[in-house]
Amino acid sequence: MTDRWEQAAFKIRVDEVVRRFVAQEADLFAAIDPLLAPVAEQLEAAVADDKRLRAAFCYWGWRAVGQPDSAALMRAAASMELVHAAAVVHDDLIDDSPLRHGRPTAHVSLRGPVRRRPRTDAAARSLAMLVGDLLMALAGQLFATSGLPAAYLARARPLWSVMARELIAGECLEILRTGAGPDTEASLKVIRYKTAKYTVEQPLLIGGALAGAGARLREGYSAYGLPLGEAFQLRDDLLGLFGDPERTGKANADDVRGHRPTALLAETWRLAGDDDRKRLHALLGRRRPDADALNAVREVMHRLKAPDRVEEMISARVEEALGALHELDAPTHAGAALTALAQSAADRLS
């Protein structure tokens, strides 16, 4: 791979590593007993689609130190995508989301193999939970067997514990905040720990640690990665309610129906007067808001310009990230790639 950043070419390389590795592991898993075949299929389905942004941030965390491209680096970077796949399976299970990438989520797909058993839904959800657990274990295996020198891996290994702790803390905070009063700062904290850190900051730091990055560069990675990761999730919140399901591949009412503590909802509440708050309370208080109720929520949000406020929050964070990147004094090719990745993460349509 040349120093010129080509995201599509990079994605193909990551896809090849991830799919081959997981296919091999799925075959070994299914070989234990024929009954395990549907679970093995979900392992492969979980890694079939993604933009591979987390692998890209890990890759450029390494390259920005001045280290070269290598097959071993690609395997280490690709392990970030298995962390993401595990998080997605668990997140879809927690949120009871029916779709991901336009296909049934793991806990929905796995109802088939247990449809004749007692408590079908509970059994399917248990299987999905174990799929996510196995994917996280496989992420560590891919990283450890990447082929990078043991001393390099040892520098980065402590960051895996940090990444897992913060990711799980974010998921727990979202569960604990769900149904509580809308609060923008609290919502941003959920975003920071549930998504921002493991999407941008931690992959960058892990790539930098592998390469032996100094303290100043690591601080710069965090200064760039945290606001950009928040912008990424704020965009996701907008797409979650206003995006086209044909593009996003997800149901566009999950956040409202699940009463999730998004910054979009918190900003809507902050901007609303008494009458609009009463209306929102009535609409959101329904156990399963129908399409008319969801459209009414969207109408209130648009009228109060809450989506515009979230767009401003995204722009401010991207600007902050790019300002930090300018201060990094990274090699030209790394700076260009990280600039392009910032725009890709924040401006996407799906």
Side-chain angles (χ1 to χ4, degrees):
M1 187 172 181
T2 67
D3 285 342
R4 183 169 174 268
W5 173 236
E6 296 178 356
Q7 190 164 341
F10 180 84
K11 181 183 182 304
I12 290 170
R13 293 179 72 194
V14 177
D15 284 346
E16 184 178 354
V17 171
V18 168
R19 291 172 182 172
R20 180 186 301 149
F21 174 76
V22 173
Q24 291 170 346
E25 291 296 327
D27 286 346
L28 292 171
F29 183 80
I32 295 171
D33 191 289
L35 278 175
L36 295 171
V39 182
E41 289 173 8
Q42 287 307 306
L43 286 172
E44 295 192 74
V47 300
D49 295 295
D50 204 70
K51 297 176 180 62
R52 310 309 187 193
L53 289 174
R54 293 155 188 85
F57 285 120
C58 183
Y59 177 90
W60 286 106
W62 162 282
R63 295 294 311 275
V65 183
Q67 294 279 19
D69 181 276
S70 72
L73 167 62
M74 288 300 301
R75 285 174 60 83
S79 70
M80 299 293 102
E81 296 301 325
L82 296 190
V83 173
H84 176 52
V88 164
V89 171
H90 285 151
D91 195 49
D92 287 342
L93 179 59
I94 292 166
D95 293 341
D96 200 23
S97 298
L99 292 174
R100 174 73 64 165
H101 300 301
R103 296 191 302 269
T105 48
H107 63 280
V108 174
S109 294
L110 287 166
R111 290 173 188 163
V114 294
R115 65 184 177 277
R116 293 188 177 88
R117 291 164 176 76
R119 301 178 67 238
T120 294
D121 284 355
R125 294 174 70 84
S126 295
L127 289 173
M129 177 184 68
L130 294 168
V131 168
D133 291 347
L134 183 51
L135 284 166
M136 187 63 83
L138 292 177
Q141 180 184 337
L142 180 57
F143 183 79
T145 60
S146 62
L148 289 173
Y152 290 24
L153 295 173
R155 289 195 296 247
R157 194 167 291 118
L159 292 174
W160 276 75
S161 295
V162 176
M163 179 169 59
R165 179 170 64 246
E166 292 179 340
L167 171 56
I168 292 170
E171 286 283 8
C172 290
L173 283 173
E174 182 176 65
I175 293 168
L176 293 166
R177 287 289 314 171
T178 294
D183 182 312
T184 300
E185 285 306 312
S187 295
L188 289 172
K189 189 170 189 178
V190 171
I191 282 172
R192 190 171 304 124
Y193 284 91
K194 181 188 170 186
T195 304
K197 284 177 167 285
Y198 100 90
T199 296
V200 186
E201 184 197 26
Q202 289 296 346
L204 275 169
L205 289 172
I206 287 171
L210 288 170
R216 184 176 179 276
L217 190 56
R218 295 196 304 271
E219 290 170 2
Y221 283 170
S222 290
Y224 164 89
L226 274 174
L228 181 57
E230 290 180 8
F232 176 90
Q233 184 56 42
L234 288 167
R235 174 64 62 203
D236 207 57
D237 289 349
L238 284 176
L239 290 171
L241 188 56
F242 295 102
D244 179 358
E246 291 295 321
R247 284 181 173 271
T248 65
K250 296 185 286 186
N252 68 350
D254 283 358
D255 287 347
V256 171
R257 285 183 171 144
H259 304 284
R260 293 170 201 158
T262 65
L264 173 61
L265 178 58
E267 282 298 290
T268 302
W269 192 262
R270 184 183 65 81
L271 294 166
D274 289 343
D275 289 345
D276 279 326
R277 286 187 176 188
K278 288 178 183 176
R279 190 176 186 207
L280 286 168
H281 184 74
L283 291 167
L284 298 173
R286 301 181 188 181
R287 183 171 178 83
R288 298 292 292 179
D290 58 19
D292 289 341
L294 292 169
N295 285 332
V297 171
R298 293 185 183 99
E299 185 277 324
V300 172
M301 287 179 168
H302 273 306
R303 180 161 45 76
L304 295 174
K305 300 188 184 303
D308 294 342
R309 171 59 186 144
V310 175
E311 288 285 2
E312 291 170 4
M313 294 166 70
I314 292 170
S315 296
R317 282 159 174 76
V318 172
E319 185 176 349
E320 181 182 349
L322 293 177
L325 179 60
H326 180 72
E327 297 297 320
L328 270 184
D329 194 28
T332 301
H333 60 280
L338 290 170
T339 298
L341 280 167
Q343 298 300 333
S344 176
D347 295 341
R348 69 195 195 283
L349 297 176
S350 63

